Amino acid sequence: MTPGSTLWLMKHEMRLTWRFGEDKSRPVRLLLGLAVLALMSLMGVPFGLLLRGHATAPNGLSVVACLIAFGFISVMSFSVALATISASFIDRGDLDLLLSSPLPMRRVLTVRLSAVAIRSVSVWLLLFGPAILITAAMAGPRWLGGLVLLLDAGLAGTSVASWLAIGLFRLIGPRKVKTVTTLVSALSGLSMGMIGPFLGRNFGARQVSGVLPDVSPDSLLGLPAHVVYGDPLAGLVLTAFLLAVFLITTWRLAPTFARISARSEAMRRPSAGRAPLRGFGGGLFRLLLVKDYRLLLRNHALLLQILSRSLAFIPLLVINLSHAGLGARSAQIALAVTLVLGQVSGALVWAFSVAESQPDLLASAPIPPDLAQRSRLTAALMPALIFVLLAAGAVGAQNRLAGIAILVMATGAGLCSAAINVTAKASQVRRSAWGGGVRPAVVATLTDMICSGFWCGGAYLLATGSIWCALPVWLGLSTVWLWREVTRRPT
Amino acid sequence: MNAALAIRDLVKSYGGVRAVDHLSLTIEAGQIYALLGPNGAGKTTTLRVVAGLLTADSGAVSIAGIDSLADPTAAKRITAWLPDEPMVYDALNAEEYLAFMAGLWQVEPKTAEQRAEQLLIQLDLYEVRRQRMGGFSRGMKQKAALAGALIHDPKLLILDEPLTGLDASAARQVKRILGERAHQGCTVVMTTHILDVAERMADRIGIIAGGRLRAEGSFDELRTQSGGAGTLEDVFLALTEEAAQ
C-alpha cells in the first residue's frame, strides 16, 4: 500500500474509527461481540421459517414494511453518522496535522467522510447481517437483498447527516455542533426505539396493517421492497443512486469541512463572559456545591450523556407500561420510576465525579478530606430526590401504596447507586486492587444494575402490598455492602 | 526559630520501588530552594508528600513548626502547591477560579477580591479574567494557577517545574513574582530542569538522586563540593553521575 494513497489513508481512518478501549480488554470485547452476534443471528430463524415458500413478489403490506425498515435503518445510520462526524471532525483534532501534509485536501476529507459512512453502515451490517444470512440460508439466497438495503440505508443516513453537520457548523460553530449533534443523534435513536412499542400499544399487531397506507409495489416507493425480495435491477438502481448522492455529497462538502476545520481552533476559543462574579461566597460546603454545579452545568458533553442515559429508559418505560394490566399499572409505574430515578442518581454522581477535573487541588487545600465527596453527593442527589418527591406525590394521589413504594424504593435505589458510583470512582485511583484485570467501572455498572433490579423488585412488591418486598431490599443493601467490602481491599 | 520546611528521614515507596529513601533537608524562611535531580529521582514525590497529597511511609515533615503528617489541614493552610500541569478548571473563568481558591483557603472576601485583582494585573491576566480558562494557552493557565496559589499569601510555596510552557516574558514575570515573594518572607521550594534558572534564582540548591539527597548548598558551595566544576550543569552532572555509580 503506497503511503499517502487513498487506500493507505482509509486504513489509517479505519484504525482510528474502530480503535477504542485498551488492548487488554480486547479478548473480552471480542467475546461479548460474538455473543451479541450469535444472539442477533438467532433473529433470522423465525424470519427464515416465515419467509420459506413466501410469494416471490412484494405485496402492499411488504412494501410498507420494507419502507419502514429502510426508514428505520436510515434514521439510525443518520444518528450514528452524526455522532461519528462530530467525533472525527471535532474531538479527534488531527485535521490540522492531516491538512498540513502534502496530501490533497479533497482526498483527506473524502476518505474521512467515507470512513464515517463505513462505520454507520457497518454497525447495522454487524447487527442485522447475521440474521439476514441465516434467513437467506433457510429461505433462499434472494433474501440477501436485505444486506443491500442495509447498505443503501446507511448511505442515505450518512449523506443527510453530512449535510446537516455542515449546516450546523456554519450556523452555530463547531463547539456547539458537538452538543446539538449528540442531542439530535440521541433523539433520533430514541424516536425509532419508541415506534415499535407505540404501534403495539395503540393498535395491536393485527390492527397495524389496517392503519398503514396502501402503497403499490410498482411505484417508486416499492423499490426497497424489490431490493429485499432479491430483484438485482432494483438493488443496482437504488444502490447506484444512493452511492452517487453520497459521492456528490462528499465531493461537494470536502472543501467546506476543510475551511471549517481551519477556523475551528479560533471558534473553539470561548468568548469572554460578561456575568459578574457571584456564588463563591459562604461556607466551604456551599463553595464546593456551587463549584460542582458550575462545572457540570458548563460541561455540555456530560449533561448530554446524563440526558441520553435518562432518555434511554423511556422506550423501556413505554414497553413496560403498555403491557401492564389496569390493576398492575400502579405497581409497574412504581417499578419503572424506581428504575429510572435510581439510574439517574447514579448517572449524576458519576457526572459530578467526572466533572471534577482537579482532585489534587482539593487534596492540597485545607479542607476536611471527605467534604468534597459529600458536596458532590449532595449536588447529585438533590435533583434526583426532588424528582422522587414529585413522582411519589403524583402517583400517591392515585394509589397511596404505590406512592410510598416510589418514595422508599426510588430513594433507596438512588442512594445505593450513588454509593456504588462514588466508591467506584475512588477505587479507580487504586486500580491495582483489581489485579489489573476487570476494570472497576465495568464491575460498578454491573453491580449498579443488579442492585437497581433488587430495588425495582422491592418497589413492585411494596406497591402490590406484598410483605416480601423486604427481601429484595435486603438483597440490594447486601449488594452495596459487598461492593464496598470488595473495593476496600488493601492495595 | 522554626525552619520553614524541615524534612527528616522521609521514606516513600510505590509497591516495591523506593521513590524517597531517608531524605532529610531543612529550608529556612524566605529562601528560594531548588530541588534538582534526574527524572525519577524522587523530587515530585517528596514535594507531593510535603503538600499533603501523599502519605509518607515513615519520617517527619514540619512546615513552620507544624507537623504536616500529623496535622495536614493546619499545614495546608499556610502552603501552596503548584504542579507542572496547572490545576485549573477549564469551565471556570480566571476571576471565578481565584474566588474559588480564596474560598478554599478561607480568605476574607474583600481581601481576596483585592489580591485577585492585583495578581491578575501582575500576571497580565486582567483583560481575560472573565474568559473561561478552557480557552487559555498553556502559559496563561500556568499563570492563573500561580495566581490561585498566591491568593492566600502562603508561607511556603511548593512549585514543580513552574516555568514549563511559559514564554520568555511570562517566565520573567513568574521569576520576578517568586523573587518578590521570597523577599517578603515566603519560602519557595521548586523543582526545575532548567539549571540556569536554579543557578540564577535559588539561594540554595539540593541535588537528589535515587530518592536521597546527594548534595546541598549554595551554587558556590556545590561547585566546591564537586571539585570546582564550571557551571551548575557541570556540577549537577558530576554529582548525579557520581551517585549513579
Side-chain angles (χ1 to χ4, degrees), chain B residues 97-174:
Chain B
Y97 175 68
L98 292 186
F100 175 66
M101 292 295 284
L104 277 184
W105 266 267
Q106 288 154 303
V107 181
E108 202 262 319
K110 211 166 182 96
T111 313
E113 212 173 297
Q114 284 166 358
R115 282 187 194 163
E117 191 175 324
Q118 201 180 348
L119 285 163
L120 288 167
I121 293 168
Q122 255 185 319
L123 288 159
D124 280 342
L125 292 172
Y126 191 75
E127 293 303 314
V128 292
R129 68 192 187 283
R130 286 186 184 166
Q131 272 184 22
R132 289 198 196 160
M133 291 184 286
F136 278 13
S137 68
R138 157 97 201 202
M140 288 161 84
K141 282 184 182 177
Q142 187 76 352
K143 288 199 286 182
L146 178 64
L150 295 174
I151 193 101
H152 67 281
D153 207 4
K155 287 189 174 157
L156 175 66
L157 185 55
I158 307 165
L159 308 118
D160 193 7
E161 297 291 343
L163 303 179
T164 308
L166 296 181
D167 61 26
S169 142
R172 176 173 278 188
Q173 273 177 328
V174 170

